[in-house]
Amino acid sequence: MTTGAADPSGYVRQREQSARDVRWPDAPEPLSVAVYDNHAHLEIEDGDEPRSLDEQLSRAADVGVVGVVQAGGDIESSRWSAWAAASHPSVLAAVAIHPNEAPAYKSAGRLDEAIAVIDELAAQPRVRAVGETGLDFFRTEEDGLPAQFESFEAHIDIAKRHDLAMQIHDRDAHDAVLETLERVGAPDRTVFHCFSGDADMARYSAERGYWLSFAGNVTFKNAQNLRDALAVTPRERILVETDAPFLTPTPHRGRPNAPYLIPVTVRFMAAELGVDVDEFCAQLAQNTLEVYGAFSD
């Protein structure tokens, strides 16, 4: 469901509730050293009591999460992301056509139009990334893949022309994503959003100067590949995100997710790496600012 398409500030999507537990988890203990949520979709309402953008940001700040990179996936959500960043000093925007949306735009004869909108939004000063873009071989049928590649390569071009970071969506498409980046040339600041590869891919990506952003699924019992990847990633290449409202970390898996739950994932990652939480937070914050620049103008 969407509303307010004509006015970016009024845009909202609502996540399907299904039979899952939609109660908001309790807030975790605040972090002593502030960090940032590197990827969230705060235009999507979730939970038994939907929370406004202002409330989400306030709850995040209360636990030491002082900024959010809000990511788009189509024309409407990208416009909302740019509006959110322009009107909230703790938000920066990423704008893009999601790879699973690209075939639909293509079949409707609107992919060029959609990419042109992203190019226009990318010029705004608080839009600091093109994302999420990439390839998804899980949800898209084979006949939709040419549109994904066309869109991905166009987004790479936008990121390089505007000197922006790029947030990559990669689902079951590791080799194709890496090959495309090598063939076309990756932007200077390339981030694997919600990194889903293994240790070998992590090493390969870090060697090429990419950043790996880990989400709440690194805490899942069946995600040993992500913990192996985390273990071999240089500290200066690690980012953390929620992908809210999805991928809520253990022990709240399945419930609504939001930036205020970043401390759960951060503490888990620090424990896995055997590092001090405060030192790890400082490194995460430094990495975020290196990729996206300062949040305050």
Side-chain angles (χ1 to χ4, degrees), residues 72-297:
D74 56 18
I75 289 176
E76 291 78 14
S77 61
S78 292
R79 284 175 171 156
W80 189 91
S81 298
W83 163 80
S87 56
H88 295 77
S90 60
V91 178
L92 296 177
V95 298
I97 304 302
H98 192 287
N100 288 328
E101 299 293 332
Y105 279 108
K106 185 69 173 181
S107 64
R110 297 184 62 208
L111 184 56
D112 288 345
E113 171 198 345
I115 290 171
V117 171
I118 299 306
D119 195 6
E120 182 179 357
L121 292 171
Q124 296 189 20
R126 292 186 62 79
V127 173
R128 302 289 180 78
V130 172
E132 57 188 280
T133 182
L135 300 172
D136 188 318
F137 293 174
F138 178 78
R139 291 182 182 271
T140 295
E141 300 294 334
E142 187 171 350
D143 61 357
L145 297 185
Q148 284 198 359
F149 278 97
E150 178 184 348
S151 179
F152 186 24
E153 293 185 24
H155 282 77
I156 293 172
D157 177 66
I158 291 171
K160 291 195 288 190
R161 282 192 291 104
H162 290 276
D163 190 23
L164 297 178
M166 183 173 66
Q167 293 188 343
I168 292 179
H169 172 101
D170 163 29
R171 188 165 186 186
D172 292 357
H174 304 325
D175 290 345
V177 167
L178 292 171
E179 186 279 330
T180 301
L181 293 174
E182 289 293 313
R183 175 171 49 83
V184 178
D188 288 340
R189 299 180 306 285
T190 293
V191 177
F192 276 86
H193 135 68
C194 190
F195 182 77
S196 59
D198 59 13
D200 287 342
M201 182 178 173
R203 292 189 188 94
Y204 179 96
S205 299
E207 287 171 359
R208 279 151 183 78
Y210 307 152
W211 281 264
L212 279 57
S213 184
F214 291 88
N217 54 342
V218 72
T219 72
F220 294 176
K221 190 175 297 186
N222 63 347
Q224 187 59 47
N225 65 303
L226 300 183
R227 293 185 284 278
D228 293 342
L230 174 66
V232 301
T233 304
R235 304 290 186 267
E236 65 272 14
R237 294 290 154 185
I238 298 174
L239 300 171
V240 66
E241 65 174 84
T242 56
D243 200 21
F246 313 106
L247 300 180
T248 315
T250 304
H252 309 298
R253 185 176 181 179
R255 295 171 70 178
N257 197 12
Y260 80 100
L261 292 175
I262 278 280
V264 178
T265 304
V266 167
R267 289 191 173 99
F268 179 91
M269 292 168 67
E272 282 290 312
L273 294 172
V275 298
D276 176 77
V277 173
D278 288 354
E279 292 180 6
F280 187 52
C281 287
Q283 181 72 67
L284 290 172
Q286 178 180 325
N287 296 347
T288 298
L289 297 177
E290 182 176 351
V291 174
Y292 302 108
F295 279 66
S296 58
D297 291 325

